[in-house]
Amino acid sequence: MAFTARAWRVAPFIFAVVTLESAASLSIGINLFTFAFNTEHFSLATAANIVTNFMGTMFLLTLLGGLVADLWWSRFKTIVVSGVLEVLGILLVALVASIESLTPPECQLLDASCNSATSSQKAVFFGGLYLLALGAGGVKANIATMGAVHFDENSPVEKKELGTYFNTYFILFCIGALIAITALVYTQENVSFEVGYLIALGCMVLGVIVAAAGYPLYQHNSPINGTQSPVTSFAQVVVAAFKNRKLQILSPEVLHQGPLDDSKMGYRIEHTDQFTFLDRAAIVDYNSPPTAQTSPWKLCTVTQVEEVKLILRILPIFASTIVLNCVIAQVQTVTLQQGRTMDRRITKSFEIPPASVAALPVVFMIIALPIYDRIFVPIARRATGHESGITYLQRISVGLLLAIASMVVAALVEKKRIRVAREFGLLDSPTARVPLKIYWIMIQYFIIGLADMFTFVGLMEFFYREAPERVRNMSTALTFVSLSLGYFLSSTIVDIVKSVTTKGGGLGWLPSNINKGNISNFYLLLASISAVNFVVYVACARWYRYRNHGDVDLTLDRDVELPSKVTDIGSVSKRPLMA
């Protein structure tokens, strides 16, 4: 229990950092559209793309952050250095909001004389944004793992506590997002962007200090330092399979297993019959039997081959979730602009900032996750017999279906908003308030929140359980990469829609005056794309074969006997007659 006690002594530092970092980075991203559109004077479509490109890059850079920690720096060094970079990025953005010369002159939006930012102003603005994204990627990639490594997964008690740790981590991530969407965005909208960004800066500075303060308690990892990296191992399998393409596989049972005491992996994975072309990487040519000097680019072990197969199996599932995150990206772009034109008054003296409406799905996730875990899962477990109630792939499918529903509802609400705007003669007044309560737009937010809860958590568990052990950090980062690619896909779709619908001189579906556009058609387009994506996902899910978690763990039992008779030499292959 001493090990567990140490883990929970570390956890408060991790939870504090993730809350502060999420509040800081997301307060910039969630209301970035408003700053880009109103202050920097970018067009509606350009401002939307700025948001999606920034958020996409930030989440994509988590892969780089994980790679740096694994290959060159430790997790601690990566977190602290990345945190400092994030501080500098927020500082630059705050300076843009504070110094008049770094922003274009104020003007009436949509006025012909309203100029956007100059090249030098854009350079400072985008420089700050992407320095922030670089730092945030490094922190997000490693902060959860920094705490998780203190739990012993071989202990049944600590394994359960590890699940509690991850659940708490995700809830606090959402709490940080909630602080960003409510308090900090409210400050940006009702006080000033300058004050809002300076508060975000203070949060991130405090986050770096807290992360550094936990140094004596952390279990520190060392970079690979010359030992074989997973990326190199995967490349060796592909190259060896190509080199051995003319060899025949006599029997899977005699493929090259490698020395029993080989510590490169620490475990062995049983052979599977999918992607059998890769099995050639584990075939030994009888004309040149392997020795200790045999090149790993010519001969690999079955476990190396199976690791590549595991990655190839999960990639279609990963790809099928990108469209969902494209839908979620609308919360911060087009849907945000919808909310700005609606009646956001709750009382006579209080008005919801439009960006803060995005807090609704976050609040719903914070409330729904414990309910899902404590009520739904036990009931579903009794009905299905599955340890998780429903499988990971079933959970993801629920999220994908809800994403379709959210876009259909969004289209219907937009049609109602336009109808009310037309009745009150407001179609030519883009800044006027349409007398339609913002409660209407909350419906799609709730559905999107449900979709995100089912898919994000299910996807993270799926990647963690199904990926090879030594690339679990990189595989769980795919959850963030899916978010990233969803944002980039959103930008691409916006560009295509804008190009196609403005041909002939028309305003198109997404003009700066959304009252003159056709956002409902844009939502229906996303619903249609999501429906096609769901069909593809179902096909991939039916094809998918779950990993057998009864793999041999060499770190626990070095004396286990493998079925293969050829352990050190591997399989012997005969060349085809036509070789």
Side-chain angles (χ1 to χ4, degrees), residues 440-462:
W440 283 94
I441 214 171
M442 293 180 181
I443 302 172
Q444 66 211 57
Y445 276 125
F446 278 123
I447 300 175
I448 288 175
L450 270 177
D452 199 11
M453 184 193 76
F454 273 94
T455 306
F456 187 89
V457 178
L459 196 62
M460 183 166 283
E461 288 191 45
F462 171 76

Side-chain angles (χ1 to χ4, degrees), residues 453-522:
M453 184 193 76
F454 273 94
T455 306
F456 187 89
V457 178
L459 196 62
M460 183 166 283
E461 288 191 45
F462 171 76
F463 286 150
Y464 184 81
R465 290 281 291 170
E466 295 297 302
E469 279 79 350
R470 63 188 183 132
V471 292
R472 274 180 170 172
N473 290 333
M474 294 178 64
S475 65
T476 51
L478 288 177
T479 308
F480 291 104
V481 175
S482 176
L483 285 171
S484 167
L485 297 181
Y487 281 109
F488 288 133
L489 178 61
S490 176
S491 294
T492 301
I493 292 176
V494 166
D495 288 339
I496 293 174
V497 167
K498 183 179 178 182
S499 175
V500 171
T501 60
T502 55
K503 286 184 178 179
L507 292 175
W509 289 0
L510 300 171
S512 294
N513 179 2
I514 63 172
N515 294 336
K516 288 288 192 177
N518 205 331
I519 293 178
S520 60
N521 280 357
F522 177 69

Side-chain angles (χ1 to χ4, degrees), residues 208-226:
V208 175
I209 294 172
V210 171
Y215 180 84
L217 297 176
Y218 298 145
Q219 178 179 318
H220 298 277
N221 72 307
S222 299
I224 289 177
N225 289 333

Side-chain angles (χ1 to χ4, degrees), residues 256-277:
H256 180 59
Q257 296 287 354
L260 190 60
D261 60 350
D262 187 359
S263 60
K264 289 181 181 179
M265 308 291 185
Y267 60 92
R268 281 189 175 163
I269 304 177
E270 296 297 323
H271 175 267
T272 60
D273 59 4
Q274 288 182 318
F275 302 109
T276 54
F277 62 91

Side-chain angles (χ1 to χ4, degrees), residues 7 34 46 49 54 83 165 167 179 209 217 238 286 339 352 370 380 415 420 423 498 504-505 509 514 537 543 575:
T34 303
T46 301
N49 283 349
F54 165 72
Y165 165 82
N167 287 335
I179 293 171
I209 294 172
L217 297 176
V238 175
Y286 78 101
I352 301 177
K415 286 181 180 295
V420 173
E423 290 174 0
K498 183 179 178 182
W509 289 0
I514 63 172
Y537 170 80
W543 167 82
R575 292 185 178 274

Side-chain angles (χ1 to χ4, degrees), residues 133-394:
L134 177 62
V139 175
K140 293 179 189 298
N142 295 288
I143 191 65
T145 308
M146 177 67 85
V149 295
H150 295 84
F151 293 88
D152 182 5
E153 289 190 72
N154 295 317
S155 165
V157 174
E158 293 191 26
K159 190 174 183 180
K160 291 180 180 179
E161 292 183 353
L162 179 61
T164 301
Y165 165 82
F166 275 117
N167 287 335
T168 308
Y169 167 86
F170 186 70
I171 289 173
L172 286 167
F173 177 86
C174 290
I175 290 174
L178 184 62
I179 293 171
I181 297 170
T182 54
L184 295 184
V185 166
Y186 183 83
T187 302
Q188 293 169 9
E189 293 275 342
N190 294 277
V191 181
S192 69
F193 277 99
E194 175 185 356
V195 174
Y197 289 166
L198 287 176
I199 293 174
L201 178 64
C203 287
M204 196 58 226
V205 170
L206 182 58
V208 175
I209 294 172
V210 171
Y215 180 84
L217 297 176
Y218 298 145
Q219 178 179 318
H220 298 277
N221 72 307
S222 299
I224 289 177
N225 289 333
T227 58
Q228 186 185 62
S229 74
V231 176
T232 302
S233 177
F234 298 163
Q236 288 171 348
V237 170
V238 175
V239 172
F242 177 78
K243 287 182 175 180
N244 297 337
R245 63 189 181 280
K246 294 183 179 181
L247 302 181
Q248 292 179 339
I249 303 173
L250 295 180
S251 172
E253 285 74 20
V254 293
L255 289 172
H256 180 59
Q257 296 287 354
L260 190 60
D261 60 350
D262 187 359
S263 60
K264 289 181 181 179
M265 308 291 185
Y267 60 92
R268 281 189 175 163
I269 304 177
E270 296 297 323
H271 175 267
T272 60
D273 59 4
Q274 288 182 318
F275 302 109
T276 54
F277 62 91
L278 291 175
D279 289 342
R280 287 177 169 77
I283 302 176
V284 178
D285 182 1
Y286 78 101
N287 289 325
S288 54
T291 65
Q293 286 73 41
T294 300
S295 171
W297 298 92
K298 175 67 175 176
L299 179 64
C300 302
T301 65
V302 170
T303 296
Q304 283 181 273
V305 173
E306 290 302 318
E307 284 187 324
V308 176
K309 291 183 182 181
L310 289 173
I311 296 297
L312 291 178
R313 286 193 193 101
I314 68 177
L315 286 180
I317 304 299
F318 156 76
S320 300
T321 62
I322 295 173
V323 171
L324 167 75
N325 289 309
C326 173
V327 169
I328 293 173
Q330 307 316 311
V331 170
Q332 295 167 249
T333 54
V334 179
T335 306
L336 179 66
Q337 191 64 9
Q338 274 183 289
R340 178 172 290 279
T341 69
M342 300 172 75
D343 184 358
R344 294 178 273 114
R345 291 173 297 175
I346 302 299
T347 66
K348 290 183 178 180
S349 59
F350 180 74
E351 180 177 276
I352 301 177
S356 290
V357 182
L360 292 172
V362 178
V363 171
F364 191 73
M365 282 190 288
I366 293 172
I367 297 172
L369 270 170
I371 296 173
Y372 175 87
D373 184 63
R374 298 299 179 181
I375 298 177
F376 174 80
V377 171
I379 294 174
R381 185 184 293 129
R382 286 194 293 269
T384 64
H386 192 275
E387 60 180 4
S388 300
I390 57 177
T391 67
Y392 307 127
L393 296 181
Q394 288 171 341

